[in-house]
Amino acid sequence: MVKEKDDSDDGKEPGLTSIPGIGPGIASKLEAAGIYDLMGLAVMSPPALSELAGVGEAVARKAIQAARGMMKLGFMDGAEFDKRRADVHYITTGSKSLDGLFGGKGIESRAITEAYGAFGSGKTQLGLTLTVNVQLPKERGGSEGKAVYIDTEGTFRPDRIKQIAEGIGANPEKVLKNILVARAFNSDHQILLLDKITEMIKENNEPIKLVVIDSLTAHFRAEFSGRGQLADRQQKLNKYLHHLMKLAEQHNVAIYVTNQVMANPAMMFGDPTTAIGGNIVGHASTYRVYLRRGKQGTRVAKMIDAPNLPENEAAFFLTPHGVRDESPE
Ligand code: GTP
Ligand code: MG
């Protein structure tokens, strides 16, 4: 995917006030609404900006155009594109087999990786393992960074983190300190927390390299459960996913999200389960894997969707030390 230039290239992108018509007063209004940079401004619509900033639509349109111009929104040349790909980083899953499914090095930055599957299939355990492994040095498969864990179901367990940390020979307390956990109480709160992450990266300079959202869809599913609400739910989910992608792109972060399945009675053969959010989530996710229980205590991951990888399967184990190739017994 070709994306716009952003602040992560050189770290000296001009601020909002470099745009004609936007003074410090308007800039702080925008910031209060979660728009911190030219990218945020460039993707706004003139009426939205006009309302938010209290300026006329003509001024708003000019400002947006200026921001787009400065961002060279849309295209970049091949060399620039190549340079961007070069700073992609990877996080090992803890299993060579599962890393192999993702092309060899685990999950990657500037991408959304979605794991969906039934309860107990290992979605949360993989997420917890990644929050530990992201802290590993590069040569051991990590990204030398911190993790954010957005917990919608109250499944974050510090004790599990400590066990997984011990498994890689790290100091459990230090590892725990590098994981920023927030409980999202509903979908609006979950959405709001994304802005917080951007803030943490930009203002506090936190070296966040991984964002886990467990689960991506549970709140949306619960809150928009009526028949007539499906379109609203999908629209909200769609917007959320776009924000996620923007976070991944702008700050070179890896994003791992979990998703539940629902029974699909229309399917007669194979595994009759479908991911919640369907195509909306599927299209936004860069990598999509389906997790299920396999034989003899294994878990099996199947690559459902990936830009340039075959539809393979990989087996792994859930152990006290997180995701591994070897059985815990
Ligand atoms: P839901 O969130 O309910 O949809 O499921 P999930 O896919 O998130 O499942 P999760 O990742 O929580 O996996 C739970 C499974 O992990 C359990 O059934 C156990 O098999 C395994 N598990 C969890 N903790 C441990 C542990 O300490 N040791 C071992 N060996 N397995 C564990
Ligand atoms: Mg779970």
Side-chain angles (χ1 to χ4, degrees):
M1 205 183 338
V2 177
K3 282 277 160 118
E4 53 290 322
K5 190 171 161 59
D6 70 30
D7 55 353
S8 61
D9 279 351
D10 48 29
K12 50 181 189 314
E13 178 195 291
L16 288 174
T17 49
S18 61
I19 299 292
I22 299 202
I26 292 178
S28 61
K29 275 191 207 166
L30 290 173
E31 277 164 17
I35 296 143
Y36 300 96
D37 48 23
L38 295 185
M39 178 65 201
L41 190 59
V43 299
M44 284 189 88
S45 72
L49 177 60
S50 158
E51 195 188 319
L52 204 90
V55 297
E57 265 197 49
V59 174
R61 183 167 296 110
K62 269 197 188 140
I64 291 167
Q65 272 164 2
R68 288 183 183 170
M70 287 173 80
M71 311 252 349
K72 293 196 275 175
L73 198 67
F75 294 96
M76 63 176 78
D77 62 42
E80 208 177 326
F81 186 73
D82 204 36
K83 187 174 143 241
R84 276 181 84 89
R85 290 306 302 172
D87 68 7
V88 163
H89 57 84
Y90 300 85
I91 304 163
T92 176
T93 63
S95 149
K96 282 209 160 46
S97 149
L98 189 53
D99 284 355
L101 192 72
F102 289 108
K105 294 188 259 184
I107 74 159
E108 70 181 46
S109 68
R110 295 199 202 280
I112 299 177
T113 300
E114 174 201 358
Y116 71 98
F119 65 91
S121 57
K123 306 180 293 291
T124 295
Q125 298 303 316
L126 176 55
L128 295 174
T129 305
L130 289 168
T131 63
V132 175
N133 288 352
V134 66
Q135 303 181 37
L136 282 167
K138 296 232 151 89
E139 60 276 14
R140 288 187 60 193
S143 296
E144 285 163 43
K146 294 189 180 189
V148 165
Y149 193 98
I150 297 184
D151 185 3
T152 70
E153 309 187 294
T155 47
F156 184 81
R157 292 280 175 277
D159 287 344
R160 284 294 290 133
I161 296 295
K162 288 188 197 169
Q163 284 178 311
I164 298 170
E166 278 162 11
I168 59 165
N171 178 325
E173 296 300 333
K174 275 192 188 155
V175 166
L176 215 42
K177 267 203 167 324
N178 286 329
I179 305 171
L180 309 157
V181 188
R183 180 81 199 267
F185 293 101
N186 55 45
S187 65
D188 284 326
H189 188 207
Q190 188 179 331
I191 291 166
L192 207 74
L193 286 170
L194 275 198
D195 294 335
K196 278 269 158 222
I197 298 173
T198 311
E199 228 175 272
M200 286 192 295
I201 296 174
K202 299 204 81 145
E203 283 163 29
N204 310 350
N205 250 322
E206 292 278 16
I208 294 166
K209 302 288 185 188
L210 169 73
V211 173
V212 172
I213 300 170
D214 186 19
S215 125
L216 169 73
T217 47
H219 282 316
F220 291 92
R221 185 189 194 185
E223 291 163 30
F224 298 84
S225 55
R227 261 197 170 273
Q229 290 178 300
L230 190 65
D232 286 346
R233 182 186 84 183
Q234 293 302 78
Q235 195 183 18
K236 212 169 168 190
L237 200 49
N238 194 20
K239 201 167 158 199
Y240 184 66
L241 283 157
H242 275 98
H243 279 149
L244 268 182
M245 198 62 219
K246 201 173 122 189
L247 176 70
E249 276 283 345
Q250 285 195 296
H251 301 290
N252 196 15
V253 166
I255 302 207
Y256 170 81
V257 303
T258 70
N259 194 0
Q260 275 73 29
V261 288
M262 55 185 175
N264 180 356
M267 208 168 141
M268 308 246 277
F269 302 100
D271 204 337
T273 46
T274 309
I276 305 294
N279 288 336
I280 296 271
V281 179
H283 287 150
S285 304
T286 324
Y287 296 92
R288 183 161 230 219
V289 291
Y290 175 56
L291 302 184
R292 63 179 161 83
R293 287 170 190 269
K295 287 190 184 116
Q296 280 142 6
T298 57
R299 294 296 188 282
V300 179
K302 180 177 186 178
M303 186 57 75
I304 301 295
D305 213 354
N308 44 24
L309 295 170
E311 242 203 24
N312 275 336
E313 284 196 346
F316 61 93
F317 286 96
L318 300 175
T319 79
H321 289 156
V323 169
R324 286 297 173 96
D325 281 319
E326 315 83 33
S327 155
E329 278 91 48

